Amino acid sequence: MASKALMSEEDFTCPVCCDIFRDPVVLSCSHSVCKVCLQQFWEKQDSKNCPVCRRRSSRDPPPVSLALKNLCEAYLQERSQRTSAESEELCSQHREKLKLFCVDDKQPVCVVCQTSKNHTNHKCCPIDEAALDRRKELKTALKPLQEKLKIFEKVKRTCDQTAEHIKSQAKHTERKIKEEFEKLHQFLRDEEAARIAAVREEEEQKSQMMKEKIEEMSRGISHLSDSIRVIEEEMKAEDISFLKVNYHNIQNSNKLNSSMRCCILSDPHMLSGALIHVAKHLGNLKFRVWEKMQEIVQYTPVILDPNTAHPRLILSEDLTSVKYSNDRQQIPDNPERFNSGVFVLSSEGFNSGTHWWDVDIENCTSWCLGVIPDSVHRKGRGVRGGIWTVSYYNEKYWSLSPGQSDTLLTFNKKVQRIRVQLDWNRGKLSFSDPLTNTHIHTVTHTFTQRMFPVFCNGTNLPLRILPVQCSVRVEEHS
């Protein structure tokens, strides 16, 4: 150790990196360098020279200096111990080790400080006990922060998941928009082709009709021309011959009689309706196409909101039907989403007026329909905050209102459709069978919030909101 103490840190310093040697190698010129430093130096210089004296090394690769390596490791260990010993604090006043902790002043003290007047009647304890107690105290104070950190991390994971879901939603929505517009484009292309075909068919019919008329006129012109030519030839004869023979021949000939009858009985005329019926093809064209578009367009009064759907509910592409899945979907737990009750809401709520929607529940053996306020609690155990529904399970019909348990309805007939009608202004919610016009249940309540249609399906067969008949019409004003 004495020999080591006589050596300075410079003796263990690499001349290239100026740090303690790491895997030192010795060159033929007796200089030592870190193995990595030498390799990097040689790569840059593209030569095998010594970084210190620039002499070419005859050793490739140069051997590791085990003695220097051991000395460097011992030096680093000694320096670490020396630093640790020097870091042990002493009392600034008495230069004694701080072995005690004054509980009253909350500071480390030495044994001399304990007996001084500054700490008279103060409670002191060993420094290690004080450190243990303070660590326990901080550990207790740390728990709320750790819990808060877990909450932040959970929300962060949800935010990351939400960000990915947003991209997925946007991509899916864009694809569906393109698909729907492609259907409209295809309808317009088909309609355009059909209307152009109709124009061309009419063109062909009218052209054929005019062709036949032209041929008829051509035959008449030829016939008359021949008759005129013959008569003119006969008229060129001498007077006596013309009067005795030619005139009588012309008078009695079929050609003259037929030509005269043709000219006397009828004159040639144009056909009525020979032109293309342009008004029929172009009149209100856009409106007529729009009117016909009703064949491919549907309107559903209530559309499901996928952002509110419980993870076990799967919605159709057009957001009009829902079914239950045994597998829980990996979707964000956003504030709007139900995570306890297996519900999904409509995309729009109502705070005035009368609204109704029909639901096909023919294949569903477990379902629930009704309305729910926007302020309802959607997380945790159960749905709290008000819900008005009619449901079907265990082969029986039940009603549910806030503050009440499920009430059995005396309605034994199996229904295929349910009509839900909300009269918000009058505070009336009714359920009926639209196929038989049979009343099922009515709820009266003074609604004060925006009410959202709510749906629940406990089967893997779809519960479907039915479209309503829509029409394009023209209103005539007097």
Side-chain angles (χ1 to χ4, degrees), residues 234-250:
E234 295 292 341
M235 290 172 61
K236 293 179 181 179
E238 295 294 332
D239 293 344
I240 299 299
S241 177
F242 169 72
L243 291 174
K244 284 184 175 182
V245 180
N246 294 15
Y247 176 73
H248 293 288
N249 291 338
I250 293 171

Side-chain angles (χ1 to χ4, degrees), residues 154 161 308-314 323-334 337-343 378-380:
K154 181 180 179 181
Q161 187 181 16
T308 65
H310 186 277
R312 292 191 184 276
L313 292 180
I314 299 177
K323 63 181 180 180
Y324 182 84
S325 172
N326 293 325
D327 298 325
R328 192 181 182 94
Q329 300 177 84
Q330 296 300 317
I331 51 180
D333 187 19
N334 49 296
R337 191 178 307 282
F338 288 91
N339 67 1
S340 57
V342 189
F343 295 112
R378 309 179 189 191
K379 309 295 183 183

Side-chain angles (χ1 to χ4, degrees), residues 81 106 112 166 182 299 319 340 353 415:
Q81 294 174 352
K106 293 182 175 56
V112 180
I166 289 172
E182 177 55 30
Y299 174 75
L319 305 178
S340 57
V415 296

Side-chain angles (χ1 to χ4, degrees), residues 112-127:
V112 180
C113 292
Q114 181 187 16
T115 57
S116 67
K117 62 179 181 179
N118 292 334
H119 297 279
T120 302
N121 297 326
H122 285 189
K123 181 180 179 180
C124 294
C125 64
I127 198 79

Side-chain angles (χ1 to χ4, degrees), residues 407-448:
T407 302
L408 181 65
L409 297 177
T410 56
F411 185 83
N412 299 321
K413 182 182 178 181
K414 185 75 167 62
V415 296
Q416 298 177 357
R417 292 184 183 179
I418 293 286
R419 174 168 292 176
V420 184
Q421 182 166 330
L422 171 67
D423 189 339
W424 195 94
N425 296 334
R426 295 184 179 180
K428 185 178 179 181
L429 176 67
S430 61
F431 302 85
S432 61
D433 180 354
L435 297 178
T436 60
N437 198 24
T438 304
H439 173 262
I440 297 176
H441 182 63
T442 297
V443 176
T444 56
H445 178 79
T446 302
F447 299 110
T448 58

